[in-house]
Amino acid sequence: MSYSLKNFLDLADLSVEAIRDLLALSDHLQRKPEPRVLAGKILGLVFMNPSLRTLASFQSGMARLGGNTFVITPGQGTWELETRLGVRMDGAAAEHVREGLPTLASYCDAVGVRSFAEGHDLAKDLADEKFRTMTQLMKKPVINLESAINHPCQALADWKTLDDLLVAPQSKFVLSWVNHPRALPLAVPAATVHMAALRGHEVVVLRPDGYALPDPVMEKARKAATLSGGSITETSDRATALKGAQVLYAKEWGATSPYGDSDHDQALRHNLQDWQVDESWFNTAASTAHFMHCLPVRRNVAVADQVLDGPRSAVLRESHNRLVVQMAVLHRLLA
Ligand code: CP
């Protein structure tokens, strides 16, 4: 059975069967390419924030299926777009998303939107307010290219990577905070912990004090674990977390208590320089343990060269799988 999609906003919107259908279709498209299946279809891509993988993989995937794309990066060759409602527009933005986005949607068959967290108001970011406001303006299928609190394309690619590597669903999956020069959004850790729980893993969130994932993120993952038979725990004890781990997924994110206080966050992370993954992190992990990261990554800040360049690293497979799974998403949305 195949499952058509109306939007691709959150892996939690899909049944496990629908996720498996996308993964099977991505394998099928690798074996039997369909270079004309989206002929005449156009995907609009709106990037409110920078990208390397998401931008290039959607353009490449659409072209490999016979379709076309246009890319809008507001303020860089196109008008800067205002996203706030009810403001007097006497600043840099020449156009409001209320006109700009419906206009763009009228030129294409589906729209992908990237809009990161603002990082000030946790409730607003958890509710994905800005992203939802923007996507509701468009009467076309929408793809989440990373919003304040979600990155479903990355989560789907990571699920495929775990399948490719034959990682058993019941095995221990550690999502660990790692250091970075500044606070980054919660989208990838939130999507990753949910994906790993839904796949059935024994998930451990390893993070220093002050960086606990917010309750709604953990609650959503717990519900997924209940469905799959997996589990979720959280700790700041590295030795306990990593013992027997089959996967170490590293990610950087900002302090959550308090959230949005960059001075406090800077002071905290200044003393956390040892939260950089090196080979010693795998001393008590499974001998076949894999290392994952969504990229981009700061070498020798978040992760040591020896790990990224070593045999455990799955980061390039994860990047390539972005292309592969997104082609399946485009196929189910548009074919
Ligand atoms: N992982 C990821 O989304 O990469 P980009 O930010 O480069 O798109």
mmCIF file with all atom_site columns, all heavy atoms in Angstrom, residues 306-318:
data_model
loop_
_atom_site.group_PDB
_atom_site.id
_atom_site.type_symbol
_atom_site.label_atom_id
_atom_site.label_alt_id
_atom_site.label_comp_id
_atom_site.label_asym_id
_atom_site.label_entity_id
_atom_site.label_seq_id
_atom_site.pdbx_PDB_ins_code
_atom_site.Cartn_x
_atom_site.Cartn_y
_atom_site.Cartn_z
_atom_site.occupancy
_atom_site.B_iso_or_equiv
_atom_site.pdbx_formal_charge
_atom_site.auth_seq_id
_atom_site.auth_comp_id
_atom_site.auth_asym_id
_atom_site.auth_atom_id
_atom_site.pdbx_PDB_model_num
ATOM 1   N N   . GLN A 1 306 ? 39.394 12.945 14.712 1.00 0.00 ? 306 GLN A N   1
ATOM 2   C CA  . GLN A 1 306 ? 39.586 11.488 14.696 1.00 0.00 ? 306 GLN A CA  1
ATOM 3   C C   . GLN A 1 306 ? 38.242 10.745 14.611 1.00 0.00 ? 306 GLN A C   1
ATOM 4   O O   . GLN A 1 306 ? 38.177 9.663  14.038 1.00 0.00 ? 306 GLN A O   1
ATOM 5   C CB  . GLN A 1 306 ? 40.387 11.033 15.925 1.00 0.00 ? 306 GLN A CB  1
ATOM 6   C CG  . GLN A 1 306 ? 39.684 11.288 17.227 1.00 0.00 ? 306 GLN A CG  1
ATOM 7   C CD  . GLN A 1 306 ? 40.498 10.938 18.471 1.00 0.00 ? 306 GLN A CD  1
ATOM 8   O OE1 . GLN A 1 306 ? 40.264 11.516 19.511 1.00 0.00 ? 306 GLN A OE1 1
ATOM 9   N NE2 . GLN A 1 306 ? 41.438 10.020 18.386 1.00 0.00 ? 306 GLN A NE2 1
ATOM 10  N N   . VAL A 1 307 ? 37.199 11.336 15.179 1.00 0.00 ? 307 VAL A N   1
ATOM 11  C CA  . VAL A 1 307 ? 35.888 10.675 15.131 1.00 0.00 ? 307 VAL A CA  1
ATOM 12  C C   . VAL A 1 307 ? 35.234 10.930 13.774 1.00 0.00 ? 307 VAL A C   1
ATOM 13  O O   . VAL A 1 307 ? 34.725 10.006 13.120 1.00 0.00 ? 307 VAL A O   1
ATOM 14  C CB  . VAL A 1 307 ? 34.984 11.160 16.285 1.00 0.00 ? 307 VAL A CB  1
ATOM 15  C CG1 . VAL A 1 307 ? 33.574 10.596 16.141 1.00 0.00 ? 307 VAL A CG1 1
ATOM 16  C CG2 . VAL A 1 307 ? 35.597 10.763 17.619 1.00 0.00 ? 307 VAL A CG2 1
ATOM 17  N N   . LEU A 1 308 ? 35.256 12.179 13.333 1.00 0.00 ? 308 LEU A N   1
ATOM 18  C CA  . LEU A 1 308 ? 34.611 12.499 12.039 1.00 0.00 ? 308 LEU A CA  1
ATOM 19  C C   . LEU A 1 308 ? 35.287 11.773 10.877 1.00 0.00 ? 308 LEU A C   1
ATOM 20  O O   . LEU A 1 308 ? 34.626 11.401 9.902  1.00 0.00 ? 308 LEU A O   1
ATOM 21  C CB  . LEU A 1 308 ? 34.648 14.010 11.796 1.00 0.00 ? 308 LEU A CB  1
ATOM 22  C CG  . LEU A 1 308 ? 33.653 14.806 12.652 1.00 0.00 ? 308 LEU A CG  1
ATOM 23  C CD1 . LEU A 1 308 ? 33.984 16.292 12.610 1.00 0.00 ? 308 LEU A CD1 1
ATOM 24  C CD2 . LEU A 1 308 ? 32.218 14.579 12.180 1.00 0.00 ? 308 LEU A CD2 1
ATOM 25  N N   . ASP A 1 309 ? 36.598 11.585 10.980 1.00 0.00 ? 309 ASP A N   1
ATOM 26  C CA  . ASP A 1 309 ? 37.336 10.943 9.887  1.00 0.00 ? 309 ASP A CA  1
ATOM 27  C C   . ASP A 1 309 ? 37.480 9.436  10.088 1.00 0.00 ? 309 ASP A C   1
ATOM 28  O O   . ASP A 1 309 ? 38.068 8.753  9.251  1.00 0.00 ? 309 ASP A O   1
ATOM 29  C CB  . ASP A 1 309 ? 38.736 11.567 9.762  1.00 0.00 ? 309 ASP A CB  1
ATOM 30  C CG  . ASP A 1 309 ? 38.650 13.042 9.417  1.00 0.00 ? 309 ASP A CG  1
ATOM 31  O OD1 . ASP A 1 309 ? 37.659 13.442 8.786  1.00 0.00 ? 309 ASP A OD1 1
ATOM 32  O OD2 . ASP A 1 309 ? 39.561 13.804 9.808  1.00 0.00 ? 309 ASP A OD2 1
ATOM 33  N N   . GLY A 1 310 ? 36.984 8.940  11.212 1.00 0.00 ? 310 GLY A N   1
ATOM 34  C CA  . GLY A 1 310 ? 37.182 7.535  11.558 1.00 0.00 ? 310 GLY A CA  1
ATOM 35  C C   . GLY A 1 310 ? 36.072 6.639  11.031 1.00 0.00 ? 310 GLY A C   1
ATOM 36  O O   . GLY A 1 310 ? 35.081 7.111  10.458 1.00 0.00 ? 310 GLY A O   1
ATOM 37  N N   . PRO A 1 311 ? 36.215 5.331  11.257 1.00 0.00 ? 311 PRO A N   1
ATOM 38  C CA  . PRO A 1 311 ? 35.290 4.351  10.681 1.00 0.00 ? 311 PRO A CA  1
ATOM 39  C C   . PRO A 1 311 ? 33.891 4.364  11.302 1.00 0.00 ? 311 PRO A C   1
ATOM 40  O O   . PRO A 1 311 ? 32.948 3.850  10.711 1.00 0.00 ? 311 PRO A O   1
ATOM 41  C CB  . PRO A 1 311 ? 35.982 3.013  10.958 1.00 0.00 ? 311 PRO A CB  1
ATOM 42  C CG  . PRO A 1 311 ? 36.918 3.280  12.087 1.00 0.00 ? 311 PRO A CG  1
ATOM 43  C CD  . PRO A 1 311 ? 37.331 4.711  11.985 1.00 0.00 ? 311 PRO A CD  1
ATOM 44  N N   . ARG A 1 312 ? 33.740 4.969  12.492 1.00 0.00 ? 312 ARG A N   1
ATOM 45  C CA  . ARG A 1 312 ? 32.413 4.998  13.120 1.00 0.00 ? 312 ARG A CA  1
ATOM 46  C C   . ARG A 1 312 ? 31.494 6.030  12.492 1.00 0.00 ? 312 ARG A C   1
ATOM 47  O O   . ARG A 1 312 ? 30.286 5.991  12.674 1.00 0.00 ? 312 ARG A O   1
ATOM 48  C CB  . ARG A 1 312 ? 32.534 5.444  14.574 1.00 0.00 ? 312 ARG A CB  1
ATOM 49  C CG  . ARG A 1 312 ? 33.375 4.600  15.435 1.00 0.00 ? 312 ARG A CG  1
ATOM 50  C CD  . ARG A 1 312 ? 33.353 5.167  16.848 1.00 0.00 ? 312 ARG A CD  1
ATOM 51  N NE  . ARG A 1 312 ? 34.263 4.439  17.695 1.00 0.00 ? 312 ARG A NE  1
ATOM 52  C CZ  . ARG A 1 312 ? 34.033 3.213  18.129 1.00 0.00 ? 312 ARG A CZ  1
ATOM 53  N NH1 . ARG A 1 312 ? 32.935 2.594  17.796 1.00 0.00 ? 312 ARG A NH1 1
ATOM 54  N NH2 . ARG A 1 312 ? 34.918 2.604  18.890 1.00 0.00 ? 312 ARG A NH2 1
ATOM 55  N N   . SER A 1 313 ? 32.079 6.996  11.821 1.00 0.00 ? 313 SER A N   1
ATOM 56  C CA  . SER A 1 313 ? 31.301 8.170  11.424 1.00 0.00 ? 313 SER A CA  1
ATOM 57  C C   . SER A 1 313 ? 30.324 7.852  10.297 1.00 0.00 ? 313 SER A C   1
ATOM 58  O O   . SER A 1 313 ? 30.712 7.347  9.243  1.00 0.00 ? 313 SER A O   1
ATOM 59  C CB  . SER A 1 313 ? 32.235 9.291  10.976 1.00 0.00 ? 313 SER A CB  1
ATOM 60  O OG  . SER A 1 313 ? 31.441 10.382 10.551 1.00 0.00 ? 313 SER A OG  1
ATOM 61  N N   . ALA A 1 314 ? 29.040 8.194  10.527 1.00 0.00 ? 314 ALA A N   1
ATOM 62  C CA  . ALA A 1 314 ? 28.001 7.992  9.512  1.00 0.00 ? 314 ALA A CA  1
ATOM 63  C C   . ALA A 1 314 ? 27.540 9.339  8.939  1.00 0.00 ? 314 ALA A C   1
ATOM 64  O O   . ALA A 1 314 ? 26.511 9.406  8.274  1.00 0.00 ? 314 ALA A O   1
ATOM 65  C CB  . ALA A 1 314 ? 26.820 7.259  10.137 1.00 0.00 ? 314 ALA A CB  1
ATOM 66  N N   . VAL A 1 315 ? 28.308 10.397 9.177  1.00 0.00 ? 315 VAL A N   1
ATOM 67  C CA  . VAL A 1 315 ? 27.772 11.731 8.862  1.00 0.00 ? 315 VAL A CA  1
ATOM 68  C C   . VAL A 1 315 ? 27.562 11.942 7.355  1.00 0.00 ? 315 VAL A C   1
ATOM 69  O O   . VAL A 1 315 ? 26.591 12.594 6.954  1.00 0.00 ? 315 VAL A O   1
ATOM 70  C CB  . VAL A 1 315 ? 28.633 12.867 9.466  1.00 0.00 ? 315 VAL A CB  1
ATOM 71  C CG1 . VAL A 1 315 ? 28.671 12.760 10.984 1.00 0.00 ? 315 VAL A CG1 1
ATOM 72  C CG2 . VAL A 1 315 ? 30.042 12.889 8.906  1.00 0.00 ? 315 VAL A CG2 1
ATOM 73  N N   . LEU A 1 316 ? 28.443 11.386 6.525  1.00 0.00 ? 316 LEU A N   1
ATOM 74  C CA  . LEU A 1 316 ? 28.264 11.596 5.082  1.00 0.00 ? 316 LEU A CA  1
ATOM 75  C C   . LEU A 1 316 ? 27.123 10.740 4.535  1.00 0.00 ? 316 LEU A C   1
ATOM 76  O O   . LEU A 1 316 ? 26.414 11.139 3.615  1.00 0.00 ? 316 LEU A O   1
ATOM 77  C CB  . LEU A 1 316 ? 29.569 11.333 4.330  1.00 0.00 ? 316 LEU A CB  1
ATOM 78  C CG  . LEU A 1 316 ? 30.672 12.346 4.656  1.00 0.00 ? 316 LEU A CG  1
ATOM 79  C CD1 . LEU A 1 316 ? 31.947 12.049 3.866  1.00 0.00 ? 316 LEU A CD1 1
ATOM 80  C CD2 . LEU A 1 316 ? 30.224 13.786 4.374  1.00 0.00 ? 316 LEU A CD2 1
ATOM 81  N N   . ARG A 1 317 ? 26.920 9.573  5.137  1.00 0.00 ? 317 ARG A N   1
ATOM 82  C CA  . ARG A 1 317 ? 25.767 8.748  4.753  1.00 0.00 ? 317 ARG A CA  1
ATOM 83  C C   . ARG A 1 317 ? 24.470 9.483  5.124  1.00 0.00 ? 317 ARG A C   1
ATOM 84  O O   . ARG A 1 317 ? 23.512 9.510  4.355  1.00 0.00 ? 317 ARG A O   1
ATOM 85  C CB  . ARG A 1 317 ? 25.825 7.390  5.456  1.00 0.00 ? 317 ARG A CB  1
ATOM 86  C CG  . ARG A 1 317 ? 24.747 6.421  4.987  1.00 0.00 ? 317 ARG A CG  1
ATOM 87  C CD  . ARG A 1 317 ? 24.778 5.161  5.832  1.00 0.00 ? 317 ARG A CD  1
ATOM 88  N NE  . ARG A 1 317 ? 25.858 4.266  5.501  1.00 0.00 ? 317 ARG A NE  1
ATOM 89  C CZ  . ARG A 1 317 ? 25.748 3.249  4.642  1.00 0.00 ? 317 ARG A CZ  1
ATOM 90  N NH1 . ARG A 1 317 ? 24.611 3.029  4.024  1.00 0.00 ? 317 ARG A NH1 1
ATOM 91  N NH2 . ARG A 1 317 ? 26.762 2.452  4.414  1.00 0.00 ? 317 ARG A NH2 1
ATOM 92  N N   . GLU A 1 318 ? 24.447 10.109 6.312  1.00 0.00 ? 318 GLU A N   1
ATOM 93  C CA  . GLU A 1 318 ? 23.267 10.874 6.715  1.00 0.00 ? 318 GLU A CA  1
ATOM 94  C C   . GLU A 1 318 ? 22.984 11.991 5.711  1.00 0.00 ? 318 GLU A C   1
ATOM 95  O O   . GLU A 1 318 ? 21.841 12.209 5.313  1.00 0.00 ? 318 GLU A O   1
ATOM 96  C CB  . GLU A 1 318 ? 23.484 11.524 8.089  1.00 0.00 ? 318 GLU A CB  1
ATOM 97  C CG  . GLU A 1 318 ? 23.523 10.590 9.266  1.00 0.00 ? 318 GLU A CG  1
ATOM 98  C CD  . GLU A 1 318 ? 23.873 11.367 10.529 1.00 0.00 ? 318 GLU A CD  1
ATOM 99  O OE1 . GLU A 1 318 ? 22.955 11.958 11.116 1.00 0.00 ? 318 GLU A OE1 1
ATOM 100 O OE2 . GLU A 1 318 ? 25.062 11.396 10.906 1.00 0.00 ? 318 GLU A OE2 1
#
